[in-house]
């Protein structure tokens, strides 16, 4: 709600100008009651009003600058409190703001308004001087007055094309119109006058402009003020300091009035049109500092109540391991970031059960590798070290090549077989399979030495055609009949045309020696069984023919 008050009422007998008086005291601000008064000085303040604070600023903060020296500005740093509140009684520049209303009376003959007070002591016994011990300053006749104060009036007006403003008085007096300095009567001086014709300022008729007055009484022993104007100032509202269109700064300073001694808050004066019942401080805003920090989603910001620093604390990221997610570097604009923990080639992407990544099963790999042509003689599995799903023969050949493993493609059963022995049916050949090659090596069976046994089987018959011998495999004695044509001789193998030979059945059986046959069909080959002498005589069938 904006409280609309019209302070200047057009052509009324009196108009009331509202402003703020800041009560100062030489004890708090040595720019008041300086030992020497140097009189009027120009250019003490900057020619343009600070549009934010709406109070004048010194051209220089150097006390030895010409303007400050002649303007009796012994402590230029404290000029900032001339027209703005400072309620810290322990600090230099301490002051007390007091609202004031100045009634301007209409001069009927020429339609201008005048404020005239040649004894302008509006705050005697008020402000700092409520304390009797502070009422130290008197006029020549010994009469006490409060001689040290500044007055600020911030207002606006509608420029009608022919306005003027004139002033006469002491001490500092500055008027800004449209934020530009138009009356410049600085310093501690006796009554000085100045006037301004608004037509000369380049203003546009019908437009509203700010007008700001600043007046100070800085020294004994006189205080005079008189101004005359036909400017019609308007107010949209009065702030809680009682200032027309004010912003509250006349009586409220965030650093002093609203200081809650909490470094973690930003102190702010109440909005200008706040209705104050009691102390302004009760209506101040104290914004937590954190709210003013740009949000970084990786950190929370907390103000340290001791230091007032905004400390950053990392925001803990959620434990999403149940969803097989692990957190990765936090992104300041989006916050915690997670990535799948199921990144192994043997994990099924984005499949998580109870915090465990689902692993590619043999069935999964079978379908992945062979689709609908799954091989029953293969074993499918996943091996991350091999790059994922792999397929291996189901019936693996062992290192022993004498045992052959194969798979039955009908039913997938493994068949384990020995390499067939080519001499399996010949017990006189020893065949041994080499496990490295799977090949058989063979060697003839060595008949065991059974000479002792032969001894016992010594000839036991007088029949020269009965041969007594010993069975090699068992050692049993046996007798065989030597065919008549060979058995006449009495030798051990009686027939010298025969040699010992072992049959496939393991029996020793004499056979004819090979040399007997000369391969010539035209000879009769003869061997003498007693001497072993071989003779070849012309065959009888060839005697009469030439066919040989
Ligand atoms: C008041 O001013 C004094 C002196 O400058 C300073 O030490 C103190 O902290 C101020 N107090 C507050 C509440 O600002
Ligand atoms: C208007 O009249 C008053 C009172 O007579 C006088 O002081 C003032 O100077 C006049 N102003 C102008 C602009 O003539
Ligand atoms: C504005 O100026 C015109 C002509 O100069 C005058 O007639 C009128 O009364 C003025 N209005 C105000 C509000 O002064
Ligand atoms: C101001 O506050 C007092 C005390 O809290 C209360 O009695 C009074 O009604 C209030 N006045 C207004 C105008 O709210
Ligand atoms: C606040 O800052 C002080 C000084 O650096 C430190 O000792 C203290 O631990 C901080 N407090 C917190 C809550 O961080
Ligand atoms: C953070 O996230 C935003 C939005 O997704 C992206 O544009 C930006 O590149 C990310 N920053 C980093 C450092 O990853
Ligand atoms: C061994 O004898 C059996 C039965 O007589 C026969 O089936 C098999 O083929 C023979 N093996 C070899 C290697 O001669
Ligand atoms: C010899 O023959 C006799 C009678 O036939 C027999 O009793 C004896 O055991 C035989 N001796 C040998 C060494 O075979």
């Amino acid at each position: 709600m904006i409280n609309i008050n019209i302070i200047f009422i057009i052509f009324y007998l009196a108009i009331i100008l509202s402003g703020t008086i800041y009560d100062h005291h030489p004890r708090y601000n040595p720019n008041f009651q300086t030992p020497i008064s140097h009189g009027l000085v120009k250019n003490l303040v900057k020619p343009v009003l600070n549009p934010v604070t709406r109070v004048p600023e010194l051209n220089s903060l150097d006390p030895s600058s010409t303007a400050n020296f002649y303007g009796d500005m012994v402590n230029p740093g404290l000029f900032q409190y001339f027209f703005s509140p400072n309620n810290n009684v322990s600090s230099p520049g301490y002051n007390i703001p007091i609202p004031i209303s100045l009634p301007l009376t209409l001069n009927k003959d020429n339609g201008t308004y005048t404020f005239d007070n040649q004894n302008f002591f509006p705050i005697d016994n008020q402000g700092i001087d409520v304390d009797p011990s502070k009422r130290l300053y008197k006029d020549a006749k010994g009469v006490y007055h409060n001689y040290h104060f500044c007055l600020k009036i911030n207002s606006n007006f509608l420029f009608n094309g022919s306005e003027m403003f004139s002033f006469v008085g002491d001490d500092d007096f500055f008027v800004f119109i449209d934020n530009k300095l138009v009356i410049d009567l600085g310093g501690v001086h006796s009554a000085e006058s100045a006037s301004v014709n608004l037509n000369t300022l380049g203003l546009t008729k019908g437009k509203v402009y700010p007008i700001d007055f600043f007046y100070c009484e800085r020294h004994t022993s006189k205080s005079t003020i008189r101004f005359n104007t036909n400017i019609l100032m308007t107010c949209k509202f009065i702030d809680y300091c009682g200032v027309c269109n004010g912003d509250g700064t006349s009586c409220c300073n965030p650093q002093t009035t609203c200081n809650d001694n909490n470094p973690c808050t930003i102190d702010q004066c109440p909005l200008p049109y706040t209705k104050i019942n009691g102390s302004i401080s009760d209506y101040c805003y104290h914004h937590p500092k954190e709210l003013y920090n740009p949000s970084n989603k990786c950190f929370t910001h907390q103000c340290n109540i001791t230091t007032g620093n905004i400390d950053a604390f990392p925001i803990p990221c959620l434990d999403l391991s149940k969803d097989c997610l692990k957190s990765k570097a936090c992104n300041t604009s989006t916050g915690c970031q997670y990535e799948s923990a199921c990144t192994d080639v043997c994990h099924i992407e984005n499949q998580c059960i109870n915090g465990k990544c689902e692993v590619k099963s043999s069935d999964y790999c079978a379908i992945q590798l062979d689709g609908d042509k799954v091989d029953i003689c293969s074993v499918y599995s996943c091996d991350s070290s091999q790059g994922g799903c792999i397929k291996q023969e189901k019936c693996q050949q062992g290192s022993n090549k004498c045992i052959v493993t194969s798979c039955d493609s009908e039913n997938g059963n493994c068949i384990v077989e020995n390499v067939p022995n080519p001499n399996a049916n010949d017990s006189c050949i020893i065949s041994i399979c080499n496990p490295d090659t799977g090949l058989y090596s063979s060697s003839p069976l060595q008949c065991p030495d059974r000479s002792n046994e032969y001894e016992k089987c010594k000839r036991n018959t007088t029949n020269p055609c009965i041969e007594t011998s010993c069975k090699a495999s068992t050692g049993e004695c046996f007798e065989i009949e030597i065919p008549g044509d060979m058995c006449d001789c009495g030798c051990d193998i009686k027939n010298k045309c025969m040699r010992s030979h072992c049959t496939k059945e393991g029996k020793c059986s004499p056979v004819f020696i090979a040399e007997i046959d000369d391969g010539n069909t035209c000879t009769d080959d003869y061997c003498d069984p007693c001497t072993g002498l071989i003779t070849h005589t012309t065959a009888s069938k060839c005697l009469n023919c030439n066919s040989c």
Side-chain angles (χ1 to χ4, degrees), residues 240-471:
Y240 49 78
C241 301
V243 174
C244 170
N245 297 329
D247 58 5
T249 57
S250 293
C251 60
C252 185
N253 179 334
Q255 276 76 51
T256 56
T257 321
C258 292
N259 191 343
D260 61 358
N261 285 320
N262 180 347
C264 288
T265 57
I266 292 169
D267 303 320
Q268 199 182 45
C269 285
L271 294 173
Y273 41 81
T274 305
K275 285 230 190 312
I276 306 282
N277 180 8
S279 165
I280 293 174
S281 310
D282 297 341
Y283 293 83
C284 291
Y285 296 100
H286 307 287
H287 304 285
K289 260 189 185 177
E290 288 95 310
L291 296 180
Y292 288 83
N293 271 289
S295 65
N296 174 330
K297 294 212 172 143
C298 296
F299 294 93
T300 51
H301 292 94
Q302 240 172 42
C303 183
N304 185 316
I305 195 86
T306 317
T307 62
N309 291 340
I310 305 289
D311 296 331
F313 299 92
I315 294 173
C317 293
L318 298 174
D319 178 2
L320 296 182
S321 56
K322 254 196 110 127
D323 299 326
C324 302
L325 294 174
K326 54 186 183 185
S327 61
K328 62 174 199 180
C330 186
N331 181 315
T332 52
S333 61
T334 57
C336 285
Q337 297 201 111
Y338 304 90
E339 63 188 355
S340 174
C342 305
T343 52
D344 191 280
V345 285
C346 284
H347 289 152
I348 302 176
E349 210 179 326
N350 297 330
Q351 290 232 27
C352 178
I353 294 169
N354 293 331
K356 292 217 163 116
C357 298
E358 209 182 343
V359 173
K360 293 179 180 171
S361 64
S362 57
D363 288 349
Y364 184 100
C365 282
I367 292 167
Q368 178 180 316
L369 293 178
D370 286 336
D372 48 7
K373 290 179 194 150
V374 171
D375 176 7
I376 58 169
C377 280
S378 289
V379 175
Y380 298 88
S381 64
C382 195
D383 182 343
S384 2
S385 68
Q386 306 261 326
C389 281
I390 53 169
K391 140 180 173 180
Q392 287 165 304
E393 275 180 50
K394 184 174 176 187
C395 305
Q396 300 246 4
Q397 172 63 45
S399 60
N400 183 346
K401 294 199 174 158
C402 296
I403 299 169
V404 175
T405 309
S406 61
C407 180
D408 186 338
S409 60
E410 294 296 316
N411 54 24
N413 290 341
C414 286
I415 304 164
V416 179
E417 295 168 306
N418 290 320
V419 173
N421 181 355
N423 301 308
N425 295 339
D426 185 347
S427 52
C428 282
I429 295 176
I430 300 170
S431 287
I432 297 169
C433 183
N434 181 342
D436 294 333
T437 62
L439 298 176
Y440 279 88
S441 61
S442 53
S443 55
L445 178 69
Q446 295 297 319
C447 288
D449 176 10
R450 295 193 190 276
S451 47
N452 290 339
E453 289 163 2
Y454 285 121
E455 199 60 30
K456 80 176 182 198
C457 298
K458 270 200 176 139
R459 188 167 177 77
N460 193 20
T461 176
T462 51
N463 182 348
C465 290
I466 300 294
E467 178 66 25
T468 304
S469 189
C470 182
K471 194 170 181 179

Side-chain angles (χ1 to χ4, degrees), residues 10-11 158 160-163 205 230 232:
I10 298 167
F11 300 130
L158 181 76
N160 195 33
S162 61
E163 284 87 341
K205 193 174 161 177
N230 60 348
L232 295 176

Side-chain angles (χ1 to χ4, degrees), residues 74-314:
V74 294
N75 186 339
L78 296 182
F79 179 74
Q80 61 172 307
Y81 298 117
F82 274 29
F83 305 103
S84 54
N86 174 356
N87 69 356
N88 182 349
V89 73
S90 357
S91 80
Y94 170 67
N95 63 43
I96 296 180
I98 302 166
I100 188 173
S101 300
L102 303 182
L104 278 65
T105 49
L106 176 68
N107 307 301
K108 288 194 181 110
D109 46 346
N110 59 18
T112 65
Y113 293 86
T114 302
F115 180 80
D116 186 1
N117 191 335
Q118 296 306 304
N119 263 304
F120 188 52
F121 296 112
I123 55 164
D124 282 356
N125 301 311
Q126 296 178 46
I128 295 166
D129 288 9
V130 164
D131 174 0
S133 72
K134 301 280 169 36
R135 298 170 197 162
L136 302 175
Y137 301 94
K138 304 184 166 81
D139 68 11
K141 292 176 188 161
V143 177
Y144 153 80
H145 286 297
N146 188 337
Y147 276 98
H148 307 106
F149 58 86
C150 289
L151 164 66
K152 172 171 83 168
I153 298 167
N154 302 110
S155 192
N156 297 291
F157 69 99
L158 181 76
F159 182 54
N160 195 33
S162 61
E163 284 87 341
M164 53 68 69
F165 182 92
S166 66
F167 170 86
V168 53
D170 68 299
D171 291 304
D172 312 82
F173 187 72
F174 309 106
V175 176
F176 292 83
I177 289 176
D178 192 19
N179 296 332
K180 293 181 196 79
L181 183 62
V182 296
I183 289 183
D184 182 14
L185 299 176
V188 179
H189 53 77
S190 51
E192 294 279 352
S193 65
S195 63
V196 58
N197 180 346
L198 273 59
N199 283 325
T200 64
L201 301 180
L203 305 179
T204 304
K205 193 174 161 177
K207 262 190 82 176
V208 172
Y209 293 95
I211 180 166
D212 305 272
F213 305 87
F214 303 93
Y215 166 84
C216 284
E217 177 55 42
R218 279 207 271 159
H219 208 285
T220 53
S221 59
K222 280 194 154 178
S223 178
T224 65
I225 183 169
R226 179 182 192 281
F227 57 84
N228 180 247
T229 184
N230 60 348
I231 296 174
L232 295 176
M233 286 165 268
T234 56
C235 291
K236 290 191 195 129
F237 69 96
I238 302 177
D239 73 9
Y240 49 78
C241 301
V243 174
C244 170
N245 297 329
D247 58 5
T249 57
S250 293
C251 60
C252 185
N253 179 334
Q255 276 76 51
T256 56
T257 321
C258 292
N259 191 343
D260 61 358
N261 285 320
N262 180 347
C264 288
T265 57
I266 292 169
D267 303 320
Q268 199 182 45
C269 285
L271 294 173
Y273 41 81
T274 305
K275 285 230 190 312
I276 306 282
N277 180 8
S279 165
I280 293 174
S281 310
D282 297 341
Y283 293 83
C284 291
Y285 296 100
H286 307 287
H287 304 285
K289 260 189 185 177
E290 288 95 310
L291 296 180
Y292 288 83
N293 271 289
S295 65
N296 174 330
K297 294 212 172 143
C298 296
F299 294 93
T300 51
H301 292 94
Q302 240 172 42
C303 183
N304 185 316
I305 195 86
T306 317
T307 62
N309 291 340
I310 305 289
D311 296 331
F313 299 92

